[in-house]
């Protein structure tokens, strides 16, 4: 039977176990929660929107917040320190299909190409990247605050882009 809630004492015990070095996967198995659902801070979940360049395999940016709006995403994309591509491939999330993103794409002359609903293989590299990000970063940490999550995620992105070798690029760093 799946548990829906944990008492505060149980959560503190789990957090202390993880801080003592118990792997997150072991804690998830032992206490019956899914690893993908525990990325919370002060009881609130947060979201990460990954922006990846399919050609260079670089993670261009990661927008991390408790809620991601289309207007917030448009501002984030405008603030990126790089030229925009002619076409941006994206899923059908509400932050991507809103008016703010439509107007942003027109203003920046970037076409938004939406994959078919339920067809993540049409954006396979990003889906693969999301899994790698989940395994390599999110499943390895408990975040105490949103600012700490942003800091750790940014460090992971820097390591992914600048240190980690990429097999698809013949291990060029």
């Amino acid at each position: 039977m799946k548990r829906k809630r944990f008492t505060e004492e149980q959560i503190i015990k789990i957090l202390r176990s993880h801080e003592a070095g118990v792997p997150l996967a072991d804690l998830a198995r032992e206490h019956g929660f899914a690893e993908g659902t525990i990325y919370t801070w002060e009881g609130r979940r947060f979201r990460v929107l990954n922006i990846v360049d399919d050609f260079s395999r670089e993670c261009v940016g990661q927008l991390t917040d408790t809620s991601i709006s289309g207007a917030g995403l448009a501002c984030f994309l405008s603030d990126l320190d790089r030229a925009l591509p002619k076409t941006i491939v994206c899923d059908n999330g509400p932050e991507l299909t809103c008016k703010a993103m439509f107007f942003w794409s027109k203003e920046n002359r970037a076409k938004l190409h939406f994959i078919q609903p339920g067809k993540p293989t049409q954006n396979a590299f990003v889906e693969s990247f999301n899994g790698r990000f989940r395994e390599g970063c999110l499943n390895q940490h408990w975040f105490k605050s949103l600012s700490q999550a942003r800091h750790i995620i940014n460090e992971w992105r820097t390591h992914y882009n600048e240190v980690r070798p990429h097999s698809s690029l013949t291990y060029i760093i």
Side-chain angles (χ1 to χ4, degrees), residues 29-62:
R29 209 172 15 262
E30 179 183 341
H31 295 285
F33 59 83
E35 291 179 59
T37 62
I38 61 166
Y39 311 119
T40 61
W41 64 278
E42 297 176 3
R44 294 183 66 188
R45 294 178 188 213
F46 65 87
R47 298 182 65 196
V48 180
L49 190 138
N50 295 312
I51 300 164
V52 181
D53 183 336
D54 280 346
F55 180 74
S56 70
R57 306 295 200 221
E58 178 184 9
C59 178
V60 177
Q62 293 175 298

Side-chain angles (χ1 to χ4, degrees), residues 85-141:
K86 291 180 182 177
T87 303
I88 297 174
V89 179
C90 45
D91 63 16
N92 293 281
E95 66 278 352
L96 296 161
T97 58
C98 66
K99 286 182 188 178
M101 281 301 296
F102 172 77
F103 291 123
W104 176 87
S105 69
K106 292 295 180 195
E107 182 180 306
N108 290 281
R109 295 186 178 110
K111 179 185 174 200
L112 295 178
H113 174 73
F114 296 98
I115 63 171
Q116 292 174 303
K119 304 276 187 180
T121 55
Q122 293 179 352
N123 205 3
F125 178 72
V126 172
E127 294 301 325
S128 172
F129 174 84
N130 288 342
R132 196 171 291 120
F133 170 62
R134 190 176 309 107
E135 271 299 307
C137 182
L138 298 178
N139 287 353
Q140 304 299 318
H141 302 281

